[in-house]
Every structure is written in C-alpha cells, then in structure tokens.
Amino acid sequence: MKIKIVYYSQTNFTKSVALRLEEALQEKGHDVVLEPITTISEKPQTESPPRLQQTPTLDDCDVAILGSPVWAFSLSGVMKAYLDTLEEAPHDTLLFVTEFFPFPCLGGNRALRVMAKKLRSKGAHPKTLGVWNRARKKRGPRQIEAIVQAALSSLDHEG
Ligand SMILES: Cc1cc2nc3c(=O)[nH]c(=O)nc-3n(C[C@H](O)[C@H](O)[C@H](O)COP(=O)(O)O)c2cc1C
C-alpha cells in the first residue's frame, strides 16, 4: 500500500513519531513517503494564519497519516492552515498528535477532533491513532508504540 506520512513538527517530537511509523510500516512492506509541512517563519505561532512553505499533496497515496503538535489546547495553527489548503483527502486518513501536558483531555483529544472534522469535510473517513503526552516521560515509549500498533492494525483491516 502507498502510505504518505505528513507531519508538522517545530521541535522534532512529532517528527520522531512520524519516523517510527515510517520504519514500522516499511518493515511490513508498505511503500512509505514521509513529508513535512514547513513554514516561512520559524515562529509560525505568531502568525494568524501561519504562512506555509511546503504543503505536501495527498492525492498520490492510498492512505495518509497526519501528525501534529497540540497548540493552545487544540490543533496547531500550522496543521489547521495545511488542512485548509486541501481540496480532498484520502478516504483512509489516520491521525496522531503530540502534546506536552500529561493527559489527552488537556488538548490532545480536541486537536484530534478538530483535525477529523476538517478532514471529513474533504471526503476523508479519519481514524485516530493516539496522543503522545510527553510530560509522562515513563509512558512515552508505550504511547508511541500504541500509535504505531494502531496504525498497523488499521492498515490490516484496510487490506
Ligand atoms: C505555541 C505552542 C503552544 C503549545 N500549546 C500546548 C498546549 O496547549 N498543550 C500541550 O500539552 N502542549 C502545548 N505545546 C507543546 C507541544 O504541543 C509539544 O511540545 C509537542 O510535542 C511539540 O511537538 P513538535 O516538537 O513536533 O513541535 C505548545 C507548544 C507551542 C510551540
């Protein structure tokens, strides 16, 4: 299956999950492309909306995986702006977010809901893979593996 992992990452935490997903999916024989969303400013959180530089397309894959940090208890403005650029998204689109705070109810769940709603309006049937709550350091590796396992099992179901 051709899978595209598109992520935004300012301090490389979301990127690290994207890289782990890439590795795990390649091990299963998938054709995986990893592409970042990039911004013109180094501090896009100071812009409304943030100006984007690189906006990966999603029309050349069977499955898209989108990853974003949580900002201000919701989805990062960069991922919001990126989703607004899309005309269509693949039916099978899988989502994950990373946040500093220790519980998904402190922004992670909301960010996933915002992402899913925007994607449904682009024709996708998004599925949530999970949240990495970075403040819970001991749980980090388990949370990342849970995201990876959720992706693998979701792809198994999609055949
Ligand atoms: C502008 C800004 C706002 C943030 N707001 C939140 C927040 O509301 N809740 C939270 O848990 N983390 C928040 N964070 C922390 C990031 O979500 C967290 O560090 C994330 O893992 C960063 O991912 P990245 O390294 O891929 O950019 C914020 C970070 C930034 C830069």
Side-chain angles (χ1 to χ4, degrees):
M1 220 178 290
K2 178 145 193 200
I3 301 169
K4 197 157 191 182
I5 304 173
V6 171
Y7 64 92
Y8 171 64
S9 191
Q10 194 168 76
T11 45
N12 288 334
F13 292 105
T14 308
K15 180 180 180 180
S16 71
V17 181
L19 286 168
R20 175 69 196 109
L21 279 164
E22 179 189 37
E23 178 188 53
L25 297 174
Q26 276 173 345
E27 271 171 21
K28 293 282 177 188
H30 294 292
D31 173 7
V32 188
V33 174
L34 189 71
E35 242 187 281
I37 301 162
T38 61
T39 57
I40 292 167
S41 162
E42 280 181 17
K43 290 266 175 219
Q45 57 266 49
T46 61
E47 301 177 336
S48 182
R51 288 169 301 147
L52 306 182
Q53 194 163 46
Q54 193 171 312
T55 54
T57 55
L58 294 182
D59 54 6
D60 50 358
C61 58
D62 303 310
V63 176
I65 302 182
L66 303 182
S68 171
V70 170
W71 283 1
F73 298 97
S74 188
L75 184 61
S76 77
V78 172
M79 181 55 80
K80 274 187 205 160
Y82 168 69
L83 294 175
D84 287 341
T85 69
L86 297 176
E87 279 182 21
E88 259 188 299
H91 179 278
D92 298 316
T93 301
L94 311 177
L95 318 175
F96 73 90
V97 294
T98 74
E99 68 179 332
F100 180 74
F101 289 155
F103 301 107
C105 59
L106 295 172
N109 289 340
R110 182 162 175 216
L112 288 167
R113 279 198 302 274
V114 170
M115 221 187 316
K117 188 175 175 195
K118 280 189 181 284
L119 284 159
R120 276 194 291 271
S121 76
K122 315 283 178 177
H125 286 243
K127 283 189 203 156
T128 289
L129 300 178
V131 181
W132 176 18
N133 298 104
R134 297 199 302 95
R136 307 187 90 185
K137 283 211 171 74
K138 278 193 186 155
R139 291 190 178 210
R142 249 188 297 157
Q143 288 190 322
I144 294 169
E145 272 328 285
I147 290 171
V148 171
Q149 287 310 316
L152 292 175
S153 98
S154 184
L155 291 166
D156 272 353
H157 289 122
E158 277 142 28

